[in-house]
Every structure is written in structure tokens, then in C-alpha cells.
Amino acid sequence: MTSSLQVILDAMPMLLKGALITFKIVVISLPIAFVIGLLTGLMNVSSSKILRTIATLYVDIIRGTPLLVQVFFEYFGIPAFFDIRIPAETAGIIAISLNAGAYISEIFRAGIISINKGQMEAARSLGLSKWLTMRLVILPQAIRRMVPAFVNQFIVSIKDTSLLSVIGINELTQSGEIIISSNYRAFEIWGVVGIIYFIIIYALSRLARVFERRYTSQ
């Protein structure tokens, strides 16, 4: 019987390749999600009823449906309806971006409305436009309060990439499933998969904590 160590060593090249794909999806998706969240968060606190309605609908739809359903919809539903083909990796990036974007949108909204309204009024009385007041006065203060929530959401989104295995993306979880189907050594393989996820999330979390301490101490 092959030793556990040998099983792990044989599996590592494929698992590391899957980890790189997971990391790639995260690195692309989260900046997109941040931009989506910022824009829809600003729309949600704007004076325009139309913009608020659009942002609210987006957030409610994404938060009200499971990520797995969103992944299937973007990979199977949209291509079937429009008779197009969306690569699995692209569909996965879109799904993670839109999903995380909705939650980040709520983080932005909550952070912005937590700032005293008097600061907006004071800045406007000094002649600043509403946009400049938001950019120079409100957002810098709000983001300091939002950093811990951002870190938490990023960690959740990294874990969510494991769901992308259902559409055939050879990320870390899918790589583990493929290996187990050939050697039936679930204990060793899932143990290593869990350790790799932990290392990725722990490293990014530590990096985010350093940024959080530096940014919030300014």
C-alpha cells in the first residue's frame, strides 16, 4: 500500500496548479468586486431614486440567491439563452465578482451613512460639490471603518471559489476531486487541500491586517 507521504507528494503538482488557478480567480475577481461595490454603494446613498432602485435590486437579487445558483446561471443559463459560449473560468470570475460586489456594496453603504451628516453640510458650506465632499471628506473616513469588513468579505470570497469546481474549473477543490477519483485516498488529499486553503487565506489575511493597521492609524 502506498504510504500517505508518497500519496501527498504525487498529488502536490496538480494541487499546486489548482491553487494557482484559485489564486488567479481571486486576484482578478476581488478588485472587480471592489469597484462594483463602490459604484453601487454610492448609487445606494445618492439622491437619485432611479440609481438607488437599481443598486437595491442588484444587492437584493445577489444576496437573495445562493452563489451556486448564480454560478450555474452565468455558465449555463446566459449562454443557453443568448446562444453564446462563456468559458468556465470567465463565468467563475463573473460570479465571484458580482456576488462579492453586492456584499461590498452594503459595506460601503453602511460605512458612508455612519459618518455624521454634519460633515457633508459643513463641506458643502465651504463650497465643495457633493462629489468632492464624498471623495475628499466622507469616503476617507468611512473606508477606515470599513477595512475589517472588507477583510472578512475577501476571506469569504476566497472560500467561495471552491464552488466553482461544479462547472469544471480545475481550481484547488476540483483538482482534489480528480486526484481522489483515481487513488481513493480522500483523507490525505482533502487534508492537504484544507492546508493549502488555510495557507492562502492566512497569508492574505495577515497582509490585509498589516494594511488595516497602517491605514486606520493614519
Side-chain angles (χ1 to χ4, degrees), residues 13-176:
M14 188 170 183
L15 290 178
L16 290 176
K17 184 178 179 181
L20 285 175
I21 294 175
T22 294
F23 189 75
K24 174 185 174 183
I25 292 171
V26 167
V27 167
I28 296 173
S29 299
L30 293 185
I32 296 173
F34 188 86
V35 172
I36 292 173
L38 173 59
L39 293 177
T40 53
L42 290 174
M43 289 167 63
N44 228 324
V45 296
S46 73
S47 56
S48 170
K49 186 176 181 180
I50 295 175
L51 292 180
R52 290 200 309 271
T53 300
I54 293 172
T56 300
L57 282 174
Y58 160 66
V59 171
D60 287 348
I61 289 171
I62 295 297
R63 294 180 66 186
T65 55
L67 175 57
L68 188 59
V69 173
Q70 296 165 25
V71 172
F72 282 143
F73 179 76
E74 280 141 30
Y75 185 60
F76 296 112
I78 293 176
F81 185 80
F82 292 102
D83 194 23
I84 57 175
R85 182 182 178 277
I86 300 178
E89 199 168 298
T90 301
I93 290 171
I94 293 171
I96 296 295
S97 299
L98 291 176
N99 184 270
Y103 290 92
I104 292 173
S105 175
E106 285 296 279
I107 294 172
F108 270 111
R109 185 187 67 81
I112 290 170
I113 64 176
S114 72
I115 303 300
N116 193 304
K117 292 182 179 180
Q119 298 202 35
M120 172 68 78
E121 295 169 358
R124 295 300 300 276
S125 68
L126 293 174
L128 292 178
S129 67
K130 188 173 182 179
W131 161 243
L132 280 177
T133 301
M134 182 63 70
R135 184 167 67 87
L136 300 177
V137 179
I138 305 300
L139 275 179
Q141 297 179 72
I143 288 176
R144 285 188 176 89
R145 301 182 181 184
M146 292 184 258
V147 170
F150 286 144
V151 173
N152 183 63
Q153 181 55 49
F154 290 165
I155 291 172
V156 170
S157 295
I158 293 169
K159 294 177 183 178
D160 285 344
T161 59
S162 62
L163 292 174
L164 302 182
S165 63
V166 299
I167 57 174
I169 297 177
N170 286 328
E171 44 71 64
L172 183 53
T173 301
Q174 174 76 349
S175 297

